Amino acid sequence: MRTVYPILRYPDPRSAIDWLCAAFGFQVHAVHEAPDGTVAHAELVLDTGMVMLGPRAEAAPRPGDTDWSVYVAVPDVDAHCARARSAGAEITREPFDTDYGSRDYAARDLAGVVWAFGTYRP
């Protein structure tokens, strides 16, 4: 059972849901709408992981590349990176091998959040 759920805020949650699914391979687990039909809360899954997202009331400054990121373990980093790139993700760090045996890369999503992907599974 999951115990940690990153929560991300987006100016347009519905577009973020579509983009995160297309670019990073997430699947919609749940979308809860507000009375006006906008997304109030959503849950996206990838393998055994889950992120939650919701609306951001106003524009926020773009996070720095090293401020923080969400790490997601994937089986094939190079194929995942190619998928993200073809969906328009800005690749902030090309695939590389680490000294602890992982293969990683990083990409910025449509709202400026940096995501890290790799084969490392602690």
Side-chain angles (χ1 to χ4, degrees):
M1 177 166 272
R2 300 172 192 96
T3 59
V4 177
Y5 303 84
I7 300 172
L8 305 168
R9 302 284 179 201
Y10 290 93
D12 182 350
R14 199 165 305 278
S15 291
I17 292 165
D18 293 343
W19 194 89
L20 292 167
C21 291
F24 296 157
F26 281 94
Q27 295 179 335
V28 174
H29 178 74
V31 175
H32 303 279
E33 294 183 348
D36 66 359
T38 60
V39 174
H41 172 81
E43 300 163 0
L44 305 180
V45 295
L46 182 66
D47 195 19
T48 61
M50 176 182 281
V51 296
M52 297 188 293
L53 63 92
R56 181 171 61 213
E58 55 190 54
R62 179 172 150 167
D65 288 357
T66 57
D67 285 346
W68 62 277
S69 65
V70 176
Y71 184 85
V72 180
V74 297
D76 186 340
V77 166
D78 295 284
H80 195 274
C81 181
R83 174 186 182 148
R85 187 186 320 273
S86 70
E90 174 191 348
I91 306 304
T92 60
R93 188 153 187 207
E94 292 291 335
F96 65 98
D97 295 318
T98 70
D99 59 356
Y100 50 88
S102 184
R103 182 148 177 85
D104 295 354
Y105 86 97
R108 185 183 310 281
D109 73 16
L110 74 169
V113 175
V114 175
W115 293 70
F117 297 92
T119 57
Y120 183 69
R121 291 182 184 258

